[in-house]
Amino acid sequence: MLFKSSRRILNLLSSSSSSQARQVPNLILGRLKHSHIGIVSAAFNKGQRRNGVKDGPTVIKEAGLIKRLQEFDLKVIDYGTVSMEKLERNSSLQLGPDGERHHDAVLAYNRELASLVRKVIQENGLCLTLGGDHSIAIGTINGHAQANPDHQVVVLWVDAHADINTGGSSASGNMHGMPVSHHLRELAKDVNRLPESWPTPCMSGNHIAYIGLRDVEDCEQKFLDDLGILAFSMKEVEKLGIFEVINQCFKHLQPSTDRPLHLSFDIDALDPLEAPSTGTPVRGGLSLREGVSIVEAVRETGFLKAMDLVEVNPELGSEKDVKLTLQATKTILLAALAGRRGAF
């Protein structure tokens, strides 16, 4: 059955797990009011080869993110920026055992980021991390898992790319294409870690679902197929409709009090006509309306605990391109965190 609104998706979840839904105190009219939000800036670019992406968090906040959220009676705490200063003292390229570019630097940064994400979730209940490139999801998901050691974090990954490569399977060596593999128990033996074995895998293939895929390498597709990971390409989004895709993702992930939800949203999930200023744009993506539908539905589950918004690069494209990308980014964030449509 095709769901025609995210409200009906919430009703489905509530009917199948009403005991969990009743544990959420602020679930009113199907919408969770996050009274406290902690924001972390992950100004990081070593997971790929374009410098400007580290400025994404700054331009998003300068566009008025915090003030706009506060207008909806949300208490927002800015935890500042996880700095790259230590890493930049040694800016030479260091490869990992399988050719991963900046391997140790990427993981060292993410370990620090994970510690802050854990702190934010424990203190505020919801953490928004602004990237930076998508390698920061190594840290954000690990930190989310640390904050909920007795619960199983489940992840909705909205992206044009699967980002499930390992060092051995990646053609580019760019670690923004590898964050998912670092968390999967099934791929643990294929992933190179820091000497202290960080990060420890925190989920299995059935704890993640994808929406928006359209640029997946053959080796990544094999990982998805072999692990039975639920993944919707844009072809399937077009065939089924966005609400049916969202419904199937939630039925699979079963977010609840004991299964807190992590949303990792790469702005390149949107079609480049909507968000051109990003490092790896791929035509044929989600419309802005479809992107908003996803994040609205995520918010309305009541179980969102962490969100990443990544890969906004203000150095790419014209001034008009940057403005358009920021407009889309702001629309997505406002819908996800305040339940409001429109820009800041």
Side-chain angles (χ1 to χ4, degrees):
M1 177 178 181
L2 180 64
F3 283 88
K4 299 187 181 300
S5 72
S6 51
R7 174 70 179 275
R8 295 182 66 186
I9 295 173
L10 178 75
N11 291 339
L12 174 67
L13 286 169
S14 299
S15 64
S16 63
S17 57
S18 58
S19 61
Q20 289 98 330
R22 286 194 294 268
Q23 294 176 39
V24 184
N26 292 321
L27 194 59
I28 301 173
L29 297 178
R31 297 201 173 194
L32 179 70
K33 183 176 181 180
H34 300 295
S35 59
H36 294 78
I37 299 171
I39 298 180
V40 174
S41 296
F44 189 72
N45 63 4
K46 296 293 185 182
Q48 45 79 72
R49 309 188 193 197
R50 298 178 183 270
N51 289 328
V53 72
K54 71 179 181 180
D55 298 321
T58 298
V59 296
I60 293 169
K61 289 198 294 187
E62 286 180 347
L65 170 63
I66 294 176
K67 179 180 179 182
R68 188 69 170 124
L69 291 174
Q70 289 171 336
E71 290 177 357
F72 294 105
D73 296 325
L74 300 173
K75 296 180 181 179
V76 182
I77 300 175
D78 187 354
Y79 281 77
T81 300
V82 179
S83 175
M84 284 180 55
E85 182 179 354
K86 295 179 182 177
L87 301 178
E88 288 174 336
R89 292 174 187 168
N90 181 9
S91 58
S92 61
L93 175 62
Q94 296 178 336
L95 300 179
D98 289 320
E100 303 95 327
R101 294 172 58 85
H102 299 289
H103 176 266
D104 288 3
V106 170
L107 294 186
Y109 182 89
N110 273 283
R111 183 162 57 180
E112 186 174 348
L113 174 61
S115 179
L116 182 55
V117 169
R118 173 188 55 77
K119 173 183 171 69
V120 172
I121 292 174
Q122 290 177 338
E123 292 181 352
N124 292 278
L126 191 151
C127 178
L128 168 66
T129 303
L130 302 174
D133 70 59
H134 217 162
S135 70
I136 67 154
I138 297 173
T140 60
I141 294 175
N142 181 273
H144 191 171
Q146 289 184 42
N148 294 274
D150 298 326
H151 298 152
Q152 176 60 60
V153 170
V154 293
V155 178
L156 182 62
W157 195 275
V158 184
D159 200 330
H161 309 89
D163 292 347
I164 196 174
N165 266 312
T166 63
S169 70
S170 173
S172 69
N174 293 331
M175 291 190 69
H176 75 159
M178 306 180 195
V180 173
S181 64
H182 282 73
H183 299 299
L184 293 177
R185 300 180 183 102
E186 295 93 333
L187 295 180
K189 63 181 177 60
D190 299 315
V191 172
N192 298 307
R193 306 177 192 277
L194 291 177
E196 301 84 355
S197 298
W198 193 92
T200 301
C202 60
M203 64 184 186
S204 297
N206 62 330
H207 298 136
I208 185 170
Y210 289 89
I211 298 177
L213 297 180
R214 57 193 185 278
D215 186 14
V216 179
E217 298 174 20
D218 290 344
C219 52
E220 291 183 294
Q221 188 61 57
K222 189 175 189 307
F223 286 145
L224 296 176
D225 293 342
D226 289 350
L227 300 181
I229 293 175
L230 185 67
F232 290 96
S233 68
M234 281 307 304
K235 180 179 179 180
E236 291 161 322
V237 170
E238 292 166 4
K239 179 179 179 180
L240 298 173
I242 192 62
F243 290 111
E244 176 64 15
V245 166
I246 296 168
N247 173 36
Q248 291 192 31
C249 287
F250 286 166
K251 287 178 68 176
H252 176 78
L253 294 174
Q254 298 181 352
S256 69
T257 303
D258 296 330
R259 294 168 68 89
L261 183 58
H262 189 114
L263 171 62
S264 202
F265 196 108
D266 189 322
I267 201 65
D268 74 21
L270 301 180
D271 190 89
L273 294 175
E274 307 273 16
S277 293
T278 187
T280 51
V282 186
R283 292 293 301 273
L286 296 167
S287 69
L288 183 56
R289 185 65 193 89
E290 288 171 326
V292 167
S293 295
I294 293 168
V295 300
E296 284 179 334
V298 165
R299 182 180 183 276
E300 290 174 358
T301 67
F303 302 114
L304 178 65
K305 288 293 185 180
M307 177 179 178
D308 316 323
L309 193 291
V310 301
E311 299 283 0
V312 173
N313 190 329
E315 288 189 4
L316 297 179
S318 65
E319 182 177 344
K320 180 180 178 181
D321 290 338
V322 174
K323 183 177 180 180
L324 189 63
T325 304
L326 282 174
Q327 184 80 4
T329 300
K330 292 184 289 186
T331 300
I332 292 294
L333 290 173
L334 197 60
L337 300 173
R340 298 295 193 276
R341 300 178 188 179
F344 289 171

